[in-house]
Amino acid sequence: TAARNYTLAEELQRAFENGEFVLHYQPVLRLGDYRMVGAEALLRWNHPREGMISPDRFIGVAEDSGLIVPLGDWVLEAACRRMRQWQDIGFSEMRISVNLSARQFRDPGLVGRVAQIISETRLDPLSLELEITESTVMHDSEAAIGTLRALKKQQEEQQKKQLYRLRRGTFH
């Protein structure tokens, strides 16, 4: 119902402000030798009364309320920071996968925010996989292709910057 969704939207906003969202990481294993090659970031809501809540109970309302964009940015940044930490302790070949919602993918600021987060976290752009659903692409395929091309171009530019820093000895 509309009243329940409104109440849930208010709770989600409060949860976001109070830091009640957490990420769990599901390992991605290579089939041949079961070696861990990455992880997928999975969002959960650590509700103060109900405990861990799966995203299927709140993502729709977060999308409708507009909270999905800042929440998605938080997920992306937290996952990139965690991946950078793992790389710093020796897991340099792993990748992190982050799911993007349809609304987040269609947001015009997405490419710039991804670039900023990669730069701030010093993450190798090849270590980040952004996942979208087929229906997200099919909604407006021309716009989706434009966004995908812009993300690819931004990834290539970030790689060049990191190579330059590595050669100059300023990469850490």
Side-chain angles (χ1 to χ4, degrees), residues 85-145:
Q85 290 171 340
W86 288 334
Q87 288 176 341
D88 287 346
I89 62 169
F91 296 98
S92 59
E93 296 184 22
M94 283 186 26
R95 292 179 172 210
I96 190 77
S97 298
V98 176
N99 294 305
L100 297 179
S101 74
R103 185 167 181 172
Q104 189 180 7
F105 183 73
R106 289 191 299 265
D107 187 85
L110 173 69
V111 175
R113 285 193 310 278
V114 169
Q116 179 181 355
I117 290 168
I118 286 173
S119 177
E120 288 174 358
T121 60
R122 301 179 344 268
L123 185 70
D124 177 350
L126 292 177
S127 300
L128 175 62
E129 294 178 350
L130 300 175
E131 297 186 2
I132 55 174
T133 63
E134 186 176 303
S135 62
T136 298
V137 174
M138 299 311 291
H139 175 77
D140 182 352
S141 59
E142 289 299 316
I145 290 169

Side-chain angles (χ1 to χ4, degrees), residues 32-46:
D33 58 6
Y34 301 107
R35 183 172 164 251
M36 187 169 157
V37 293
E40 181 176 2
L42 303 173
L43 179 66
R44 299 293 182 262
W45 177 8
N46 190 7

Side-chain angles (χ1 to χ4, degrees), residues 45-65:
W45 177 8
N46 190 7
H47 193 281
R49 292 182 312 280
E50 297 182 39
M52 288 297 170
I53 298 177
S54 176
D56 61 325
R57 287 190 40 202
F58 63 83
I59 288 295
V61 173
E63 285 243 0
D64 293 342
S65 71

Side-chain angles (χ1 to χ4, degrees), residues 152-166:
K152 179 67 176 166
K153 182 179 179 187
Q154 172 259 325
Q155 179 189 47
E156 291 167 354
E157 290 171 4
Q158 290 282 355
Q159 280 182 285
K160 288 176 189 175
K161 287 179 187 174
Q162 287 190 356
L163 277 174
Y164 177 75
R165 281 185 284 198
L166 183 60

